[in-house]
Amino acid sequence: MIEPKVRFKADDGSQFPDWEEKELGQILTEDLYPVKNPDGAYTKLAIRSHGKGTFDRHVEAGESLDVDKMFEVKANRLILNITFAWELAIAITTNEDEGKLVSHRFPQYKISGNIDFYKYRLINERMRYDLGVASPGGAGRNRVLNRSAFLKIKKYIPSLPEQQKIAEFLSTVDTVIEKQKETVSAWEERKKGVMQKLFSQEVRFKADDGSEFPEWEEKTFHEVIKLYRGSSPRPIVEYIVDDNQGLNWIKISDVPQNGNVITTVKEHISKEGAEKSRAVYKGEIILSNSMSFGKPCILGIDGFIHDGWFVIREYEKYLNKWYLCQLLNSDIMYKQYRRLAAGGVVLNISSEIVNSTKIPVPCLAEQQKIADCLSSLDEVIEKQKATLAAWEELKKGLLQQMFV
Protein backbone atom coordinates (compact mmCIF):
# COMPACT_ATOMS: atom_id res chain seq x y z
CA MET A 1 0.00 0.00 0.00
CA ILE A 2 0.93 3.68 -0.25
CA GLU A 3 2.07 4.57 3.25
CA PRO A 4 0.63 7.74 4.85
CA LYS A 5 3.32 10.13 6.06
CA VAL A 6 1.74 10.30 9.51
CA ARG A 7 0.80 7.06 11.28
CA PHE A 8 -0.31 6.27 14.83
CA LYS A 9 0.75 3.38 17.04
CA ALA A 10 -1.23 1.25 19.46
CA ASP A 11 -1.14 2.08 23.18
CA ASP A 12 1.44 -0.67 23.72
CA GLY A 13 3.72 0.88 21.08
CA SER A 14 3.06 -1.75 18.41
CA GLN A 15 2.34 -0.93 14.80
CA PHE A 16 -1.21 -0.99 13.53
CA PRO A 17 -1.90 -3.17 10.48
CA ASP A 18 -1.41 -1.76 6.99
CA TRP A 19 -4.32 0.20 5.58
CA GLU A 20 -6.57 -1.74 3.22
CA GLU A 21 -7.87 -0.43 -0.08
CA LYS A 22 -11.65 -0.71 -0.09
CA GLU A 23 -14.48 0.37 -2.35
CA LEU A 24 -17.02 2.66 -0.69
CA GLY A 25 -19.56 -0.07 -1.32
CA GLN A 26 -17.69 -2.17 1.26
CA ILE A 27 -18.04 0.61 3.82
CA LEU A 28 -21.44 2.13 3.00
CA THR A 29 -24.83 0.43 3.01
CA GLU A 30 -27.88 2.27 1.68
CA ASP A 31 -30.21 2.73 4.60
CA LEU A 32 -33.71 4.04 3.79
CA TYR A 33 -36.50 4.64 6.30
CA PRO A 34 -39.94 5.40 4.84
CA VAL A 35 -41.95 8.06 6.62
CA LYS A 36 -43.90 6.43 9.44
CA ASN A 37 -46.53 9.12 9.88
CA PRO A 38 -47.35 10.85 6.56
CA ASP A 39 -49.55 13.37 8.34
CA GLY A 40 -46.91 14.34 10.89
CA ALA A 41 -45.06 17.65 11.16
CA TYR A 42 -41.57 17.31 9.76
CA THR A 43 -38.54 19.38 8.88
CA LYS A 44 -36.82 18.72 5.55
CA LEU A 45 -33.03 18.72 5.31
CA ALA A 46 -31.08 19.76 2.23
CA ILE A 47 -27.45 20.19 1.23
CA ARG A 48 -26.70 22.54 -1.66
CA SER A 49 -22.90 22.59 -1.67
CA HIS A 50 -20.02 23.86 0.41
CA GLY A 51 -18.03 20.88 1.58
CA LYS A 52 -18.44 21.65 5.26
CA GLY A 53 -20.05 18.33 6.02
CA THR A 54 -23.19 19.91 7.46
CA PHE A 55 -26.67 20.65 6.16
CA ASP A 56 -27.05 24.18 4.89
CA ARG A 57 -30.83 24.40 4.66
CA HIS A 58 -33.66 23.31 6.92
CA VAL A 59 -37.07 23.62 5.30
CA GLU A 60 -39.89 23.77 7.81
CA ALA A 61 -42.93 21.56 7.40
CA GLY A 62 -45.12 24.56 6.57
CA GLU A 63 -43.91 24.10 3.02
CA SER A 64 -45.59 21.44 0.92
CA LEU A 65 -43.76 18.15 1.51
CA ASP A 66 -44.40 15.17 -0.76
CA VAL A 67 -43.64 12.56 1.91
CA ASP A 68 -44.17 9.71 -0.56
CA LYS A 69 -40.79 10.60 -2.07
CA MET A 70 -39.02 11.22 1.23
CA PHE A 71 -37.26 9.24 3.91
CA GLU A 72 -36.69 9.73 7.61
CA VAL A 73 -33.16 10.59 8.70
CA LYS A 74 -31.16 8.58 11.21
CA ALA A 75 -28.13 9.86 13.10
CA ASN A 76 -24.62 8.93 11.96
CA ARG A 77 -25.55 8.40 8.34
CA LEU A 78 -23.79 9.73 5.26
CA ILE A 79 -26.15 11.69 3.03
CA LEU A 80 -25.32 13.38 -0.26
CA ASN A 81 -27.09 15.46 -2.86
CA ILE A 82 -26.87 13.52 -6.14
CA THR A 83 -27.36 16.72 -8.17
CA PHE A 84 -24.54 18.63 -6.52
CA ALA A 85 -22.33 15.80 -5.28
CA TRP A 86 -19.61 17.09 -7.64
CA GLU A 87 -19.49 20.24 -5.49
CA LEU A 88 -19.01 18.13 -2.35
CA ALA A 89 -22.63 18.40 -1.26
CA ILE A 90 -22.17 15.67 1.33
CA ALA A 91 -22.76 15.45 5.09
CA ILE A 92 -22.87 13.07 8.02
CA THR A 93 -25.98 13.35 10.17
CA THR A 94 -26.02 14.02 13.91
CA ASN A 95 -28.52 13.32 16.68
CA GLU A 96 -30.10 16.73 15.95
CA ASP A 97 -30.98 15.55 12.43
CA GLU A 98 -32.75 12.39 13.62
CA GLY A 99 -36.39 12.22 12.53
CA LYS A 100 -36.15 14.93 9.87
CA LEU A 101 -36.76 14.16 6.19
CA VAL A 102 -34.68 14.00 3.02
CA SER A 103 -35.95 13.60 -0.52
CA HIS A 104 -35.25 10.60 -2.74
CA ARG A 105 -32.45 12.63 -4.32
CA PHE A 106 -30.51 12.50 -1.05
CA PRO A 107 -29.49 8.85 -0.59
CA GLN A 108 -28.67 7.83 2.99
CA TYR A 109 -25.93 5.34 3.88
CA LYS A 110 -25.02 3.53 7.07
CA ILE A 111 -21.27 3.68 7.70
CA SER A 112 -19.22 0.70 8.85
CA GLY A 113 -16.49 2.03 11.13
CA ASN A 114 -15.72 5.03 13.30
CA ILE A 115 -18.14 7.81 12.37
CA ASP A 116 -15.83 10.64 13.45
CA PHE A 117 -13.01 9.18 11.36
CA TYR A 118 -15.16 9.14 8.26
CA LYS A 119 -16.06 12.80 8.71
CA TYR A 120 -12.43 13.50 7.86
CA ARG A 121 -11.92 10.65 5.39
CA LEU A 122 -14.96 11.27 3.22
CA ILE A 123 -15.51 15.03 3.34
CA ASN A 124 -12.44 16.66 1.82
CA GLU A 125 -11.09 18.06 -1.43
CA ARG A 126 -9.95 14.66 -2.70
CA MET A 127 -13.51 13.42 -2.30
CA ARG A 128 -14.75 16.42 -4.27
CA TYR A 129 -12.60 15.23 -7.17
CA ASP A 130 -13.82 11.63 -6.84
CA LEU A 131 -17.46 12.72 -6.78
CA GLY A 132 -16.87 14.88 -9.84
CA VAL A 133 -15.54 11.87 -11.76
CA ALA A 134 -18.56 9.86 -10.61
CA SER A 135 -20.97 12.59 -11.80
CA PRO A 136 -21.01 12.47 -15.61
CA GLY A 137 -22.90 14.92 -17.75
CA GLY A 138 -22.61 18.57 -18.71
CA ALA A 139 -22.43 21.54 -16.38
CA GLY A 140 -24.42 22.41 -13.28
CA ARG A 141 -27.62 20.46 -12.71
CA ASN A 142 -26.89 18.18 -15.68
CA ARG A 143 -24.16 16.47 -13.63
CA VAL A 144 -25.97 13.82 -11.63
CA LEU A 145 -24.10 11.34 -9.44
CA ASN A 146 -23.92 7.79 -10.75
CA ARG A 147 -24.54 5.86 -7.53
CA SER A 148 -22.86 2.69 -8.79
CA ALA A 149 -19.74 4.67 -9.72
CA PHE A 150 -19.86 6.37 -6.32
CA LEU A 151 -19.84 3.06 -4.47
CA LYS A 152 -16.86 1.89 -6.57
CA ILE A 153 -14.67 4.80 -5.41
CA LYS A 154 -11.64 3.33 -3.65
CA LYS A 155 -10.11 4.57 -0.39
CA TYR A 156 -7.35 3.28 1.85
CA ILE A 157 -8.88 2.52 5.26
CA PRO A 158 -7.01 1.81 8.53
CA SER A 159 -8.04 -0.66 11.21
CA LEU A 160 -10.80 0.41 13.59
CA PRO A 161 -8.39 1.17 16.50
CA GLU A 162 -6.29 3.44 14.26
CA GLN A 163 -9.46 5.09 12.97
CA GLN A 164 -10.24 5.91 16.60
CA LYS A 165 -6.77 7.40 17.17
CA ILE A 166 -6.99 9.55 14.04
CA ALA A 167 -10.49 10.76 14.89
CA GLU A 168 -9.52 11.70 18.45
CA PHE A 169 -6.44 13.58 17.30
CA LEU A 170 -8.20 15.55 14.57
CA SER A 171 -11.16 16.23 16.85
CA THR A 172 -8.73 17.80 19.32
CA VAL A 173 -7.35 20.03 16.57
CA ASP A 174 -10.90 20.96 15.58
CA THR A 175 -11.70 21.86 19.19
CA VAL A 176 -8.74 24.25 19.25
CA ILE A 177 -9.85 25.76 15.93
CA GLU A 178 -13.43 26.25 17.15
CA LYS A 179 -12.23 27.91 20.35
CA GLN A 180 -9.99 30.21 18.32
CA LYS A 181 -12.95 31.11 16.09
CA GLU A 182 -14.88 32.01 19.24
CA THR A 183 -11.98 34.18 20.36
CA VAL A 184 -11.94 36.00 17.02
CA SER A 185 -15.73 36.51 17.15
CA ALA A 186 -15.54 37.78 20.73
CA TRP A 187 -12.95 40.42 19.78
CA GLU A 188 -14.95 41.44 16.71
CA GLU A 189 -18.07 41.87 18.86
CA ARG A 190 -16.02 43.83 21.39
CA LYS A 191 -14.87 46.17 18.64
CA LYS A 192 -18.46 46.63 17.41
CA GLY A 193 -19.48 47.64 20.91
CA VAL A 194 -16.62 50.13 21.17
CA MET A 195 -17.50 51.59 17.76
CA GLN A 196 -21.11 52.03 18.82
CA LYS A 197 -20.09 53.89 21.94
CA LEU A 198 -17.59 56.10 20.11
CA PHE A 199 -19.67 57.03 17.07
CA SER A 200 -22.78 57.63 19.20
CA GLN A 201 -20.63 59.90 21.46
CA GLU A 202 -21.53 57.86 24.52
CA VAL A 203 -17.78 57.79 25.09
CA ARG A 204 -15.66 60.85 24.25
CA PHE A 205 -11.94 61.43 24.23
CA LYS A 206 -10.20 64.47 25.68
CA ALA A 207 -7.27 66.45 24.39
CA ASP A 208 -3.78 65.66 25.64
CA ASP A 209 -3.99 68.63 28.03
CA GLY A 210 -7.21 67.28 29.52
CA SER A 211 -9.50 69.81 27.86
CA GLU A 212 -12.74 68.93 26.11
CA PHE A 213 -12.81 68.60 22.36
CA PRO A 214 -15.34 70.73 20.42
CA GLU A 215 -18.85 69.43 19.75
CA TRP A 216 -19.19 67.18 16.72
CA GLU A 217 -20.77 68.35 13.48
CA GLU A 218 -23.01 66.27 11.26
CA LYS A 219 -22.41 66.60 7.56
CA THR A 220 -24.01 65.03 4.53
CA PHE A 221 -21.54 62.79 2.72
CA HIS A 222 -21.39 64.87 -0.44
CA GLU A 223 -20.57 68.02 1.59
CA VAL A 224 -17.24 66.66 2.80
CA ILE A 225 -16.29 63.84 0.39
CA LYS A 226 -16.12 63.44 -3.37
CA LEU A 227 -17.22 60.08 -4.71
CA TYR A 228 -16.06 58.74 -8.09
CA ARG A 229 -17.32 55.54 -9.62
CA GLY A 230 -15.04 53.05 -11.34
CA SER A 231 -15.55 51.95 -14.92
CA SER A 232 -14.48 49.12 -17.20
CA PRO A 233 -14.29 48.32 -20.91
CA ARG A 234 -16.73 45.84 -22.42
CA PRO A 235 -16.36 42.95 -22.77
CA ILE A 236 -13.75 42.91 -20.04
CA VAL A 237 -12.41 39.46 -21.02
CA GLU A 238 -10.91 40.99 -24.16
CA TYR A 239 -8.72 43.29 -22.05
CA ILE A 240 -7.45 40.85 -19.42
CA VAL A 241 -3.78 40.04 -20.06
CA ASP A 242 -0.88 38.09 -18.52
CA ASP A 243 0.61 39.42 -15.29
CA ASN A 244 3.82 40.71 -16.85
CA GLN A 245 2.02 42.55 -19.65
CA GLY A 246 -0.70 44.46 -17.85
CA LEU A 247 -1.70 46.81 -15.06
CA ASN A 248 -3.35 45.96 -11.75
CA TRP A 249 -7.08 45.22 -12.20
CA ILE A 250 -8.62 45.49 -8.74
CA LYS A 251 -11.65 43.28 -8.02
CA ILE A 252 -13.78 42.55 -4.96
CA SER A 253 -12.13 39.13 -4.74
CA ASP A 254 -8.77 40.84 -4.13
CA VAL A 255 -9.89 42.03 -0.69
CA PRO A 256 -7.81 39.99 1.80
CA GLN A 257 -9.55 37.72 4.30
CA ASN A 258 -7.66 39.42 7.10
CA GLY A 259 -7.48 43.19 7.11
CA ASN A 260 -8.65 45.69 4.50
CA VAL A 261 -5.45 46.68 2.67
CA ILE A 262 -5.30 45.43 -0.92
CA THR A 263 -1.72 44.59 -1.87
CA THR A 264 -2.09 42.01 -4.66
CA VAL A 265 -4.45 41.31 -7.55
CA LYS A 266 -5.36 38.16 -9.44
CA GLU A 267 -5.91 39.77 -12.83
CA HIS A 268 -4.29 42.44 -14.96
CA ILE A 269 -5.70 44.71 -17.63
CA SER A 270 -4.12 45.96 -20.84
CA LYS A 271 -3.14 49.59 -21.35
CA GLU A 272 -6.02 49.95 -23.80
CA GLY A 273 -8.44 48.62 -21.19
CA ALA A 274 -6.94 50.86 -18.51
CA GLU A 275 -7.71 53.93 -20.63
CA LYS A 276 -11.41 53.01 -20.34
CA SER A 277 -11.21 52.40 -16.57
CA ARG A 278 -10.61 54.60 -13.54
CA ALA A 279 -7.09 54.88 -12.19
CA VAL A 280 -6.61 54.68 -8.42
CA TYR A 281 -3.48 55.11 -6.36
CA LYS A 282 -1.69 53.64 -3.38
CA GLY A 283 -3.08 55.04 -0.12
CA GLU A 284 -6.54 55.86 -1.48
CA ILE A 285 -9.81 54.51 -0.04
CA ILE A 286 -12.09 52.55 -2.34
CA LEU A 287 -15.62 51.49 -1.40
CA SER A 288 -17.45 48.47 -2.84
CA ASN A 289 -20.94 49.17 -4.14
CA SER A 290 -21.99 45.61 -4.99
CA MET A 291 -21.59 42.10 -3.56
CA SER A 292 -20.01 42.93 -0.16
CA PHE A 293 -21.35 46.43 -0.58
CA GLY A 294 -20.15 49.23 1.68
CA LYS A 295 -16.80 47.52 2.34
CA PRO A 296 -14.01 50.14 2.49
CA CYS A 297 -10.45 49.19 1.56
CA ILE A 298 -7.13 50.97 1.58
CA LEU A 299 -5.03 50.53 -1.53
CA GLY A 300 -1.50 49.26 -1.03
CA ILE A 301 -0.93 49.40 -4.79
CA ASP A 302 -1.76 51.54 -7.82
CA GLY A 303 -4.29 50.12 -10.23
CA PHE A 304 -7.63 50.45 -11.99
CA ILE A 305 -11.17 49.80 -10.74
CA HIS A 306 -14.39 48.70 -12.41
CA ASP A 307 -17.89 50.04 -11.68
CA GLY A 308 -18.27 47.76 -8.65
CA TRP A 309 -16.07 50.24 -6.75
CA PHE A 310 -16.17 53.90 -5.75
CA VAL A 311 -12.98 55.80 -4.99
CA ILE A 312 -13.20 58.40 -2.21
CA ARG A 313 -11.32 61.69 -2.62
CA GLU A 314 -11.07 65.32 -1.50
CA TYR A 315 -12.02 64.68 2.13
CA GLU A 316 -8.78 65.63 3.90
CA LYS A 317 -9.99 69.08 4.98
CA TYR A 318 -12.65 67.51 7.19
CA LEU A 319 -11.72 63.90 7.78
CA ASN A 320 -8.80 61.77 8.90
CA LYS A 321 -8.27 58.85 6.47
CA TRP A 322 -8.18 56.17 9.18
CA TYR A 323 -11.17 57.61 11.04
CA LEU A 324 -13.11 57.68 7.77
CA CYS A 325 -12.20 54.10 6.95
CA GLN A 326 -13.41 52.91 10.38
CA LEU A 327 -16.62 54.94 10.06
CA LEU A 328 -17.38 53.55 6.60
CA ASN A 329 -16.99 50.04 8.02
CA SER A 330 -19.45 50.64 10.86
CA ASP A 331 -23.07 49.64 11.44
CA ILE A 332 -23.93 53.36 11.46
CA MET A 333 -23.24 53.53 7.73
CA TYR A 334 -24.65 50.10 6.87
CA LYS A 335 -27.98 50.93 8.54
CA GLN A 336 -28.18 54.13 6.52
CA TYR A 337 -27.59 52.24 3.28
CA ARG A 338 -30.45 49.88 4.11
CA ARG A 339 -32.81 52.70 5.10
CA LEU A 340 -32.03 54.79 2.03
CA ALA A 341 -32.53 51.73 -0.19
CA ALA A 342 -36.24 51.92 0.75
CA GLY A 343 -36.24 48.74 2.81
CA GLY A 344 -35.71 46.29 -0.03
CA VAL A 345 -33.07 43.59 -0.22
CA VAL A 346 -29.86 45.60 -0.65
CA LEU A 347 -27.72 44.07 -3.40
CA ASN A 348 -25.77 47.22 -4.21
CA ILE A 349 -25.55 50.87 -3.26
CA SER A 350 -25.75 53.75 -5.70
CA SER A 351 -23.77 56.98 -5.56
CA GLU A 352 -27.04 58.71 -4.65
CA ILE A 353 -27.43 56.50 -1.57
CA VAL A 354 -23.84 57.00 -0.43
CA ASN A 355 -23.92 60.75 -1.05
CA SER A 356 -27.11 61.05 1.01
CA THR A 357 -25.69 59.45 4.17
CA LYS A 358 -24.90 61.47 7.27
CA ILE A 359 -21.31 61.67 8.48
CA PRO A 360 -20.41 62.47 12.13
CA VAL A 361 -17.46 64.86 12.02
CA PRO A 362 -15.44 65.43 15.23
CA CYS A 363 -12.42 67.71 15.12
CA LEU A 364 -9.39 66.15 13.42
CA ALA A 365 -7.56 65.66 16.73
CA GLU A 366 -10.43 63.60 18.19
CA GLN A 367 -10.76 61.68 14.92
CA GLN A 368 -7.13 60.65 15.31
CA LYS A 369 -7.73 59.36 18.84
CA ILE A 370 -10.78 57.40 17.69
CA ALA A 371 -8.83 55.93 14.77
CA ASP A 372 -5.92 54.98 17.04
CA CYS A 373 -8.25 53.26 19.51
CA LEU A 374 -10.03 51.22 16.85
CA SER A 375 -6.78 50.43 15.03
CA SER A 376 -5.36 48.96 18.24
CA LEU A 377 -8.37 46.64 18.41
CA ASP A 378 -7.84 45.74 14.75
CA GLU A 379 -4.28 44.71 15.55
CA VAL A 380 -5.53 42.32 18.24
CA ILE A 381 -8.19 40.91 15.91
CA GLU A 382 -5.68 40.39 13.09
CA LYS A 383 -3.31 38.56 15.43
CA GLN A 384 -6.14 36.30 16.57
CA LYS A 385 -7.14 35.68 12.94
CA ALA A 386 -3.53 34.86 12.09
CA THR A 387 -3.48 32.30 14.89
CA LEU A 388 -6.71 30.81 13.55
CA ALA A 389 -5.29 30.67 10.02
CA ALA A 390 -2.17 28.92 11.30
CA TRP A 391 -4.24 26.23 13.02
CA GLU A 392 -6.40 25.75 9.92
CA GLU A 393 -3.29 25.44 7.77
CA LEU A 394 -1.84 22.92 10.22
CA LYS A 395 -5.01 20.84 9.99
CA LYS A 396 -4.92 20.99 6.20
CA GLY A 397 -1.34 19.74 6.23
CA LEU A 398 -2.18 16.96 8.66
CA LEU A 399 -5.05 15.75 6.50
CA GLN A 400 -2.77 15.62 3.48
CA GLN A 401 -0.19 13.60 5.38
CA MET A 402 -2.62 11.26 7.14
CA PHE A 403 -4.66 10.17 4.14
CA VAL A 404 -3.56 8.57 0.88
Side-chain angles (χ1 to χ4, degrees), residues 8-170:
F8 288 85
K9 292 185 178 182
D11 292 340
D12 62 5
S14 62
Q15 298 284 350
F16 284 120
D18 286 347
W19 292 28
E20 295 183 42
E21 188 178 41
K22 295 183 178 181
E23 293 184 349
L24 292 187
Q26 296 175 268
I27 302 163
L28 305 176
T29 305
E30 190 161 15
D31 206 25
L32 302 180
Y33 296 86
V35 178
K36 294 179 181 178
N37 179 12
D39 298 322
Y42 293 100
T43 298
K44 176 183 172 184
L45 297 180
I47 322 165
R48 170 57 174 84
S49 64
H50 52 37
K52 294 180 181 178
T54 56
F55 296 94
D56 55 11
R57 195 164 68 94
H58 287 192
V59 182
E60 294 304 322
E63 296 190 19
S64 176
L65 299 180
D66 185 358
V67 295
D68 290 337
K69 294 183 179 181
M70 293 188 181
F71 300 92
E72 290 193 18
V73 170
K74 297 296 181 181
N76 300 322
R77 301 296 191 269
L78 184 139
I79 294 180
L80 44 75
N81 180 337
I82 63 172
T83 307
F84 292 102
W86 57 278
E87 288 190 335
L88 201 55
I90 182 172
I92 292 179
T93 60
T94 66
N95 289 333
E96 293 181 358
D97 302 316
E98 183 104 23
K100 297 184 172 73
L101 302 186
V102 287
S103 80
H104 64 291
R105 299 182 69 79
F106 290 74
Q108 181 175 191
Y109 296 93
K110 187 175 182 179
I111 304 171
S112 174
N114 183 286
I115 299 299
D116 292 329
F117 167 79
Y118 281 107
K119 290 176 184 176
Y120 301 105
R121 191 69 181 107
L122 298 181
I123 303 174
N124 52 48
E125 287 305 305
R126 175 63 197 184
M127 193 64 175
R128 185 194 299 270
Y129 170 80
D130 293 332
L131 289 168
V133 173
S135 301
R141 292 179 180 272
N142 293 322
R143 298 187 63 180
V144 177
L145 180 70
N146 181 310
R147 300 193 198 190
S148 296
F150 165 64
L151 293 174
K152 289 185 180 299
I153 292 172
K154 294 180 178 180
K155 296 291 178 184
Y156 282 101
I157 304 298
S159 64
L160 189 58
E162 191 170 4
Q163 290 180 30
Q164 179 71 27
K165 291 269 188 182
I166 292 171
E168 289 175 353
F169 177 75
L170 291 175

Side-chain angles (χ1 to χ4, degrees), residues 211-228:
S211 61
E212 302 284 344
F213 282 122
E215 293 299 310
W216 292 21
E217 297 182 78
E218 184 178 78
K219 300 283 188 180
T220 303
F221 191 100
H222 70 82
E223 293 181 279
V224 292
I225 304 169
K226 298 297 183 184
L227 193 68
Y228 299 91

